[in-house]
Amino acid sequence: MAGSDAPGTPASDAHGTPASDAHGADVLGRVAAAIERRKLADPQASYVASLLRAGDDRILKKIGEEATETVLAAKDNDKIHLVAEVADLWFHCLVLLARHDLGPADVLRELARREGISGHAEKASRGT
């Protein structure tokens, strides 16, 4: 995650754009809200509804596919493709979160909890 490591300093992307502006965390909330609205939509008319209707296995398969495409884009050093693939990956993760009645705020709270903690220490605290 790009941004400052200093506590209390807003996170920003590689271009210095704050994560809370129209191109940041607010977008995650809007996408999550759209996914919530589509939960009850006709699966024939809504990709999100079709994924949710198919269940975790289908969503997890899509996440695996998008993760693989993300890795390949990174290995090719194709920044534009990498960003597009990460967007696809995040979208499908948002669908999975919605299926479990969770959203980006839950993940952001967990990231905030971990902020300032050594990655090694955090991992050790989970026993993994």
Side-chain angles (χ1 to χ4, degrees):
M1 180 168 28
S4 173
D5 291 333
T9 304
S12 60
D13 67 12
H15 306 288
T17 305
S20 62
D21 77 359
H23 299 290
D26 295 343
V27 172
L28 291 174
R30 289 193 302 272
V31 172
I35 290 168
E36 282 298 319
R37 288 190 303 273
R38 292 182 181 133
K39 276 184 168 181
L40 300 176
D42 176 4
Q44 297 289 343
S46 168
Y47 175 67
V48 169
S50 70
L51 280 175
L52 292 168
R53 177 76 48 88
D56 278 351
D57 286 346
R58 179 70 180 123
I59 297 167
L60 295 171
K61 181 179 177 185
K62 283 302 299 178
I63 288 172
E65 290 170 6
E66 298 303 343
T68 299
E69 291 171 7
T70 298
V71 169
L72 294 173
K75 289 194 64 72
D76 289 344
N77 200 28
D78 184 342
K79 291 181 181 183
I80 292 171
H81 191 206
L82 175 59
V83 169
E85 293 303 339
V86 169
D88 290 344
L89 178 59
W90 286 11
F91 173 80
H92 288 91
C93 287
L94 289 171
V95 172
L96 179 66
L97 287 169
R99 177 156 168 76
H100 292 275
D101 297 319
L102 297 166
D106 298 293
V107 176
L108 293 172
R109 273 192 296 278
E110 178 61 14
L111 288 171
R113 183 191 68 77
R114 295 180 185 189
E115 191 173 20
I117 300 172
S118 158
H120 294 300
E122 195 285 325
K123 186 172 181 175
S125 75
R126 292 185 279 142
T128 57

